[in-house]
């Protein structure tokens, strides 16, 4: 009942204050699998966010036990657009380390962040990666690189990148520069005068309208396109999903000449947020060639909508010899969380102790935190502590998991020690942390003493 109500609320546009209230309920009730919907609420807001809101969103994404691929790739652009250039670049690099393949928009945003920071080495490094990712023909990336080399006064490389974009991209280059500077009126003027014979210019305008939520202009531009590219089809689908109109998004998806993984993942995420698991599975089943992104999206959909058995079954299918898709760390973190929610210690520990070793998958913080929660909930505090000490970056969420577990299992002094360690590290506890601490203090008869101590300190 609680999941249904919260999901229903999160399917409507909310204020930041309302989002935070719902997030608190999610944390208190242990419904962390709904966090991607919180992220989506903030990241798709059309209004500008304050620095406080940006920090709040960044902390959710960085420490979420259920990272969402679309959220992670969108976060880089979100941070850049809100002036967080250093964080945009850091998040891009963290995304790479997590094994998430960046899209053209996230790479372009990372390059533009280097431009604003004057990070010459970073920009050149990203230029080298462009070829490895096979997106050297992406006009957004090319435009960002030209702007970067102009900023660092390397006109030779700027000209080289511009020439590689080819003559047909010249109108698109001008249009994109106007769009990036926020001058939509001039971008529309150039498009009207010189860009209508250029396929990439059409793509740029359609993409801009969908990203800014102006679906009326998007469809008005998309309709007359002589050559509708896969990029524009994907942009239209994304725009309608983000605006909450899954029916129109599905109509576009069904008639897309070449359905791709990006659009499929977007549709699955959209249906997942609506609680329409059957439609999400239908989209998943229709794709003949499936990759780890698709499996991760569908497994996450099952996890978000309270269907752990289906999530485990799909994960098992993913590992079968006839499928044989190597799971990403994001997928492992999600499936371990499913094990945690259902109390399936055997399967979760099998992933940790056998599967990851067999596949030579390196532990990252997302998987580590998921395993800590699993072992903590299943009263294996020895294993939880072992992983906790090896965690590269500890945050409030993981401290809270252990404090609650220690309180439940009679390790009262350990709970108090963890809380004190948390304060020493300047990590702010939340309501759930205090709940676990008070339980521990109550059992050792220290509530009044600690209350006085905390009031004195703060």
């Amino acid at each position: 009942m609680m999941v249904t109500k919260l999901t229903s609320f999160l399917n409507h546009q909310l204020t930041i204050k309302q989002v935070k209230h719902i997030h608190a309920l999610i944390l208190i009730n242990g419904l962390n699998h709904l966090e991607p919907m919180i992220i989506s609420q903030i990241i798709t807001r059309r209004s500008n966010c304050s620095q406080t809101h940006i920090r709040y969103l960044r902390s959710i994404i960085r420490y979420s036990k259920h990272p969402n691929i679309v959220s992670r790739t969108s976060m880089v652009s979100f941070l850049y657009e809100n002036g967080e250039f250093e964080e945009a670049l850091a998040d891009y690099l963290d995304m790479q380390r997590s094994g998430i393949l960046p899209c053209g928009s996230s790479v372009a945003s990372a390059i533009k962040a280097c431009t604003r920071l004057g990070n010459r080495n970073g920009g050149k490094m990203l230029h080298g990666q462009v070829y490895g990712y096979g997106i050297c023909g992406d006009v957004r990336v090319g435009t960002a690189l030209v702007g970067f080399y102009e900023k660092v006064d390397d006109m030779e490389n700027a000209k080289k990148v511009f020439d590689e974009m080819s003559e047909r991209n010249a109108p698109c280059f001008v249009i994109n520069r106007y769009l990036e500077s926020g001058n939509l009126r001039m971008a529309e003027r150039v498009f009207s005068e010189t860009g209508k014979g250029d396929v990439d210019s059409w793509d740029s305008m359609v993409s801009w309208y969908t990203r800014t939520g102006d679906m009326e202009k998007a469809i008005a531009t998309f309709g007359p396109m002589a050559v509708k590219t896969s990029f524009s089809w994907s942009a239209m689908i994304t725009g309608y999903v983000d605006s909450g109109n899954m029916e129109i998004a599905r109509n576009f998806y069904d008639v897309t000449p070449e359905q791709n993984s990006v659009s499929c993942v977007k549709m699955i995420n959209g249906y997942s947020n609506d609680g329409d698991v059957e439609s999400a599975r239908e989209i998943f089943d229709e794709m003949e060639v499936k990759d780890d992104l698709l499996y991760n999206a569908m497994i996450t959909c099952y996890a978000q909508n309270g269907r752990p058995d289906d999530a485990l079954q799909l994960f098992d299918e993913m590992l079968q010899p006839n499928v044989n898709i190597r799971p990403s760390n994001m997928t492992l973190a999600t499936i371990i969380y499913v094990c945690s929610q259902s109390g399936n210690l055997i399967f979760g520990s099998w992933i940790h102790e056998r599967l990851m070793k067999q596949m030579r998958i390196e532990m990252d913080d997302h998987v580590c935190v998921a395993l800590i929660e699993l072992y903590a909930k299943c009263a294996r505090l020895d294993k939880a502590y072992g992983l906790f000490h090896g965690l590269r970056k500890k945050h409030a969420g993981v401290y809270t998991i252990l404090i609650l577990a220690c309180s439940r299992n009679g390790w009262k002094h350990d709970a108090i020690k963890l809380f004190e360690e948390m304060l020493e590290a300047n990590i702010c506890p939340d309501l759930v942390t205090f709940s676990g601490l008070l339980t521990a203090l109550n059992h050792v008869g220290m509530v009044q003493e600690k209350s006085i101590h905390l009031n004195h300190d703060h």
Side-chain angles (χ1 to χ4, degrees):
M1 180 66 76
M2 176 68 74
V3 173
T4 303
K5 287 183 177 179
L6 293 179
T7 302
S8 177
F9 282 129
L10 289 169
N11 283 327
H12 296 84
Q13 188 65 45
L14 305 172
T15 65
I16 287 290
K17 188 175 182 180
Q18 289 171 326
V19 169
K20 287 186 175 181
H21 284 163
I22 292 176
H23 192 204
L25 288 172
I26 286 171
L27 293 174
I28 290 170
N29 290 280
L31 303 173
N32 303 75
H33 61 285
L34 295 179
E35 280 191 324
M37 296 184 72
I38 293 289
I39 295 167
S40 178
Q41 270 283 338
I42 303 174
I43 218 167
T44 57
R45 290 176 66 83
R46 304 305 177 194
S47 58
N48 291 329
C49 289
S50 68
Q51 291 299 309
T52 301
H53 298 154
I54 293 172
R55 286 194 295 271
Y56 174 61
L57 172 62
R58 193 166 58 221
S59 67
I60 296 174
I61 288 186
R62 185 163 295 172
Y63 303 133
S64 175
K65 294 185 284 294
H66 307 283
N68 180 281
I69 291 172
V70 177
S71 298
R72 287 302 306 272
T73 53
S74 301
M75 184 59 177
V76 180
S77 299
F78 179 86
L79 289 171
Y80 172 79
E81 289 163 6
N82 283 277
E84 296 286 316
F85 308 125
E86 289 187 5
E87 288 297 332
L89 185 58
D91 209 73
Y92 173 84
L93 296 174
D94 182 63
M95 184 177 69
Q96 283 187 310
R97 286 191 290 269
S98 299
I100 298 176
L101 185 67
C103 60
S105 62
S106 59
V107 175
S109 294
I111 293 169
K112 288 186 285 186
C114 289
T115 303
R116 298 297 291 268
L117 294 168
N119 187 338
R120 191 184 189 97
N121 291 334
K124 286 190 172 183
M125 177 195 73
L126 291 173
H127 188 185
Q129 292 178 351
V130 163
Y131 297 96
Y133 290 134
I135 54 175
C136 50
D138 191 308
V139 77
R140 296 165 298 176
V141 174
T143 302
L145 283 170
V146 170
F148 164 74
Y149 283 120
E150 286 179 348
K151 175 67 181 293
V152 299
D153 199 27
D154 187 347
M155 298 312 295
E156 182 179 347
N157 271 315
K159 185 178 184 305
K160 181 180 178 182
V161 174
F162 183 78
D163 290 342
E164 288 176 353
M165 291 171 69
S166 79
E167 291 182 4
R168 68 187 179 89
N169 282 326
C172 182
F173 173 76
V174 176
I175 288 169
N176 276 297
R177 293 300 288 269
Y178 279 127
L179 291 175
E180 287 170 12
S181 64
N183 195 337
L184 176 60
R185 185 179 63 83
M186 283 301 299
E188 289 176 332
R189 178 178 174 180
V190 173
F191 174 69
S192 177
E193 293 176 355
T194 64
K196 291 193 173 181
D198 172 27
V199 174
D200 292 320
S201 294
W202 287 87
D203 281 345
S204 293
M205 294 307 299
V206 170
S207 176
W208 176 265
Y209 291 136
T210 58
R211 284 189 288 119
T212 55
D214 193 342
M215 295 309 296
E216 287 188 14
K217 282 191 174 181
I219 189 62
T221 305
F222 179 82
M225 288 180 71
V227 179
K228 293 177 171 63
T229 65
S230 60
F231 179 83
S232 284
W233 280 104
S234 293
M236 293 300 296
I237 293 167
T238 297
Y240 281 117
V241 171
D242 289 342
S243 64
N245 198 327
M246 289 303 298
E247 184 177 353
I248 297 180
R250 181 60 182 269
N251 290 337
F252 268 85
Y253 182 81
D254 286 341
V255 298
T256 301
E258 295 180 11
Q259 292 171 346
N260 56 55
S261 179
V262 174
S263 296
C264 183
V265 167
K266 191 68 183 181
M267 290 295 296
I268 291 172
N269 288 333
Y271 280 130
S272 179
N273 290 338
D274 282 352
D276 189 350
V277 180
E278 282 67 31
S279 293
R281 183 60 195 243
E282 185 180 337
I283 292 288
F284 176 83
D285 289 337
E286 285 176 357
M287 286 294 287
E288 293 183 6
V289 180
K290 299 178 177 66
D291 56 19
D292 65 307
L293 298 180
L294 288 177
Y295 271 94
N296 185 80
M298 194 62 228
I299 288 171
T300 301
C301 175
Y302 282 134
Q304 286 179 345
N305 289 279
R307 293 174 57 168
D309 292 341
D310 291 318
L312 291 171
Q313 184 177 352
L314 191 59
F315 181 73
D316 182 65
E317 175 188 309
M318 186 179 182
L319 301 178
Q320 294 304 309
N322 60 320
V323 178
N324 194 29
I325 293 179
R326 178 185 175 90
S328 67
N329 286 59
M330 295 296 181
T331 306
L332 291 179
T334 301
I335 208 68
I336 291 168
Y337 172 79
V338 170
C339 292
S340 177
Q341 289 299 96
S342 59
N344 194 337
L345 176 62
I346 295 175
F347 194 80
S349 59
W350 173 78
I351 292 174
H352 176 208
E353 295 171 354
R354 295 191 59 185
L355 182 66
M356 292 182 68
K357 291 179 182 178
Q358 288 173 359
M359 292 191 158
R360 298 181 179 178
I361 299 174
E362 292 186 12
M363 179 83 69
D364 68 1
D365 280 3
H366 296 300
V367 176
C368 189
V369 171
L371 284 168
I372 289 171
E373 180 169 6
L374 170 69
Y375 289 130
K377 285 193 172 183
C378 295
R380 291 302 307 272
L381 293 183
D382 53 336
K383 285 185 172 291
Y385 257 108
L387 288 164
F388 177 78
H389 291 310
L391 198 59
R392 288 188 289 272
K393 192 166 185 177
K394 300 178 178 68
H395 52 81
V398 72
Y399 271 104
T400 300
I401 290 168
L402 272 183
I403 288 172
L404 289 172
C406 287
S407 297
R408 286 194 304 265
N409 291 278
W411 294 30
K412 314 303 178 185
H413 291 284
D414 292 87
I416 296 167
K417 184 178 178 182
L418 281 167
F419 182 77
E420 291 173 343
E421 178 186 318
M422 189 178 181
L423 295 181
E424 289 174 5
N426 293 319
I427 297 173
C428 184
D430 57 27
L431 292 174
V432 186
T433 317
F434 280 113
S435 175
L437 176 68
L438 289 173
T439 301
L441 292 175
N442 187 51
H443 280 78
V444 295
M446 295 172 62
V447 173
Q448 185 175 2
E449 177 188 338
K450 277 292 176 181
S451 176
I452 294 171
H453 179 65
L454 288 173
N455 287 332
H456 176 73
D457 286 347
H458 298 283

